[in-house]
């Protein structure tokens, strides 16, 4: 399987190509307007902007987490409205750590679109290399996207809870260690983690602003798997966004197939009947 990453030099050589769609998905959990503002200030030439909150999430109910997945039909319509078709090659980027770019990457894969890549190092690496940016807003002609959702890629809260007594499965929390332990909780109303979950912050995937070599990441995630297959690993984070960066890292390392609990901690802790661990 090819790497889900694309380098800045590879993207630069492809700008302007037919069927290429570059998507800016910058975001800030604490200030959602930051992403669109950053896009306006400067973005990769030709890039469109898609919002984590407005384009990549369904309405919140209070029990379905901070970034609930839209239905495949609704998201397919959003893709088409933004000029993304089943024949598009999509390159998505964020500020640099793949925390937000991974969300669109995973959602496209979920709908059966494999021709999607994450820009390694994001716009930070692009600008570090003094590559061009522009400020004009871009829109693409609306098209049609036909979804073929692969729901085997995701787990619900109930399915995730059912694995807590299954030692063959492992849950991996991508949040920072202090949030996992429950020392602090800046976003959600309850601190802590899913009982039995292991922690590996998604930031550990990077070195000098880009992903570590595939061989190194493979060793690190094989230690997490501890003899399990990737299919037995369930990724989660705060709201199903940054966990996708660990999914990218695993696929880059040649370990595809693990699952996403998309509701993640924000959905989990919304139900007081679900257990909470702190350590």
């Amino acid at each position: 399987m090819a790497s889900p990453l694309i380098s800045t030099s590879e993207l630069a050589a492809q700008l302007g190509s037919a069927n290429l769609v570059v998507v800016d998905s910058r975001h800030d959990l604490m200030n959602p307007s930051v992403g669109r503002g950053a896009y306006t200030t400067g973005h990769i030439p030709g890039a469109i902007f898609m919002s984590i909150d407005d384009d990549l999430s369904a309405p919140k109910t209070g029990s379905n987490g901070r970034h609930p997945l839209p239905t495949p039909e609704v998201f397919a319509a959003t893709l088409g409205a933004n000029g993304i078709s089943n024949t598009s090659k999509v390159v998505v980027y964020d500020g640099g750590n793949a925390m937000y770019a991974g969300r669109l990457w995973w959602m496209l894969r979920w709908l059966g679109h494999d021709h999607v890549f994450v820009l390694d190092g994001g716009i930070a690496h692009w600008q570090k290399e003094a590559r061009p940016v522009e400020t004009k807003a871009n829109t693409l002609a609306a098209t049609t996207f036909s979804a073929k959702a692969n729901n085997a890629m995701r787990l619900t809260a109930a399915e995730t809870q059912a694995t807590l007594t299954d030692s063959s499965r492992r849950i991996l929390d991508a949040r920072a260690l202090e949030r996992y332990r429950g020392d602090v909780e800046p976003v959600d109303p309850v601190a802590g983690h899913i009982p039995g979950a292991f922690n590996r912050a998604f930031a550990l995937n990077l070195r000098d602003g880009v992903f570590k070599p595939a061989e190194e990441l493979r060793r690190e995630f094989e230690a997490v798997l501890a003899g399990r297959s990737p299919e037995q690993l369930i990724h989660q984070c705060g709201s199903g966004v940054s966990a996708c960066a660990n999914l990218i890292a695993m696929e880059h390392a040649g370990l595809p197939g693990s699952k996403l609990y998309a509701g993640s901690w924000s959905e989990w802790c919304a139900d007081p009947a679900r257990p909470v661990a702190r350590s």
Side-chain angles (χ1 to χ4, degrees), residues 146-165:
S146 298
K148 297 179 181 178
N150 178 7
N151 285 316
M153 292 173 57
R154 56 172 295 211
L155 272 72
T156 65
E159 289 168 337
T160 302
Q161 189 163 357
T163 71
L164 298 188
T165 57

Side-chain angles (χ1 to χ4, degrees), residues 15-267:
L15 288 183
S17 299
N19 293 328
L20 176 68
V21 179
V22 181
V23 182
D24 186 319
S25 68
R26 282 177 284 181
H27 188 69
D28 186 324
L29 292 176
M30 307 306 291
N31 186 357
S33 66
V34 164
R36 193 174 294 277
Y39 174 81
T40 301
T41 300
H43 51 266
I44 292 175
I48 63 171
F49 181 78
M50 292 185 73
S51 164
I52 294 287
D53 286 340
D54 300 333
D55 298 312
L56 309 185
S57 300
K60 292 180 283 189
T61 65
S63 62
N64 61 353
R66 285 183 281 107
H67 294 104
L69 285 179
T71 65
E73 295 77 17
V74 166
F75 185 51
T78 298
L79 291 169
N82 280 276
I84 299 173
S85 74
N86 298 85
T87 62
S88 298
K89 176 179 181 178
V90 181
V91 175
V92 57
Y93 71 88
D94 57 21
N97 59 12
M99 175 178 180
Y100 302 114
R103 170 76 169 201
L104 178 55
W105 171 83
W106 184 89
M107 289 178 71
L108 278 163
R109 297 286 294 274
W110 169 49
L111 292 199
H113 191 74
D114 292 335
H115 211 40
V116 54
F117 303 88
V118 171
L119 181 62
D120 195 7
I123 196 167
H125 197 59
W126 181 271
Q127 291 179 305
K128 182 180 178 181
E129 297 173 336
R131 298 188 186 275
V133 296
E134 65 180 11
T135 57
K136 71 180 185 71
N138 297 300
T139 57
L140 301 175
T143 185
T144 299
F145 187 97
S146 298
K148 297 179 181 178
N150 178 7
N151 285 316
M153 292 173 57
R154 56 172 295 211
L155 272 72
T156 65
E159 289 168 337
T160 302
Q161 189 163 357
T163 71
L164 298 188
T165 57
D166 182 356
S167 62
S168 72
R169 308 295 294 271
R170 176 161 283 182
I171 299 171
L172 187 64
D173 191 323
R175 295 176 299 165
L177 181 60
E178 60 270 20
R179 285 188 67 196
Y180 165 83
R181 289 190 308 219
D183 299 342
V184 298
E185 182 43 70
V187 187
D188 294 310
V190 178
H193 60 267
I194 298 173
F198 282 66
N199 177 244
R200 185 187 182 279
F202 74 94
L204 296 175
N205 297 325
L206 305 178
R207 182 182 298 120
D208 298 327
V210 295
F211 276 77
K212 295 174 182 175
E215 297 79 9
E216 185 174 349
L217 286 169
R218 186 179 184 96
R219 290 193 297 271
E220 293 179 10
F221 279 101
E222 283 179 339
V224 171
L225 290 168
R228 298 171 181 82
S229 70
E231 291 79 7
Q232 294 170 297
L233 191 65
I234 303 162
H235 293 266
Q236 52 93 190
C237 54
S239 60
V241 176
S242 64
C244 295
N246 276 346
L247 281 153
I248 291 167
M250 286 192 69
E251 188 159 310
H252 179 57
L255 296 168
S258 49
K259 318 299 183 186
L260 176 68
Y261 168 33
S264 287
W265 180 249
S266 58
E267 179 185 52

